[in-house]
Amino acid sequence: MDIIMATLDHLEDASRLFDHYRSFYQQASDIETAKTFLRERFHNQDSVIFLAQQEDHVVGFTQLFPSFSSVAMQRVWILNDLFVEADYRNQGVAQALMETAEAFARGTGAVRITLATQTSNLTAQALYQRRGFTKTEDYVYYALGL
């Protein structure tokens, strides 16, 4: 398995996985809008996407968005998306994607990676805990739908 940083040349594969990821979270499949969204991320350079390849098939991805900590005055990466095709789960793909994301974040001098997952996604929570992520109890997070 190879983990690569995606470029615009990988738009088709990245969009397919991104669409499957969104479907996993009960969103309607919309491959064209997924392509548009990711194309904008590539053009604006406002996210980093890593793809997991086995042979010539792209089987998983993670997407990181940059942010900053005002208190620490350092970069923070938000791991917003992590997805592995069902047939390739429990084979170390997510682990490899996480390792790559963590190494990338360290390489950029980031102070931390943050993420959120559904409370019902126990598989993802177990992975994050094994990787050393800790559930934060120090802050209350709010969201405002617009």
Side-chain angles (χ1 to χ4, degrees):
M1 175 178 35
D2 294 314
I3 306 295
I4 61 167
M5 184 181 290
T7 67
L8 193 55
D9 293 337
H10 302 102
L11 182 62
E12 293 297 322
D13 285 326
S15 298
R16 176 183 51 79
L17 286 173
F18 186 65
D19 191 57
H20 292 175
Y21 167 78
R22 293 184 67 257
S23 294
F24 177 83
Y25 282 105
Q26 292 81 47
Q27 299 300 306
S29 177
D30 186 345
I31 192 70
E32 290 308 314
T33 303
K35 282 181 192 176
T36 299
F37 179 82
L38 292 183
R39 185 180 296 111
E40 289 174 3
R41 302 296 68 76
F42 287 123
H43 282 303
N44 296 334
Q45 298 179 353
D46 56 12
S47 78
V48 174
I49 300 172
F50 293 102
L51 300 174
Q53 293 181 297
Q54 286 193 354
E55 298 171 9
D56 289 334
H57 189 63
V58 177
V59 301
F61 84 102
T62 190
Q63 182 167 210
L64 300 161
F65 290 91
S67 186
F68 291 91
S69 166
S70 298
V71 173
M73 295 186 294
Q74 289 183 275
R75 177 175 297 284
V76 172
W77 286 97
I78 302 166
L79 194 149
N80 215 60
D81 313 309
L82 176 67
F83 180 77
V84 176
E85 292 280 15
D87 291 344
Y88 295 89
R89 293 183 185 151
N90 300 311
Q91 297 178 29
V93 177
Q95 180 87 8
L97 285 164
M98 291 296 296
E99 288 172 6
T100 301
E102 292 164 21
F104 172 80
R106 279 188 207 93
T108 64
V111 66
R112 71 179 154 268
I113 297 173
T114 63
L115 60 84
T117 192
Q118 285 184 328
T119 55
S120 62
N121 194 342
L122 301 179
T123 302
Q125 291 174 43
L127 169 67
Y128 303 142
Q129 290 169 10
R130 282 194 311 273
R131 301 284 322 146
F133 285 74
T134 55
K135 185 177 177 182
T136 213
E137 304 287 340
D138 298 336
Y139 298 93
V140 175
Y141 290 92
Y142 294 92
L144 174 64
L146 302 175

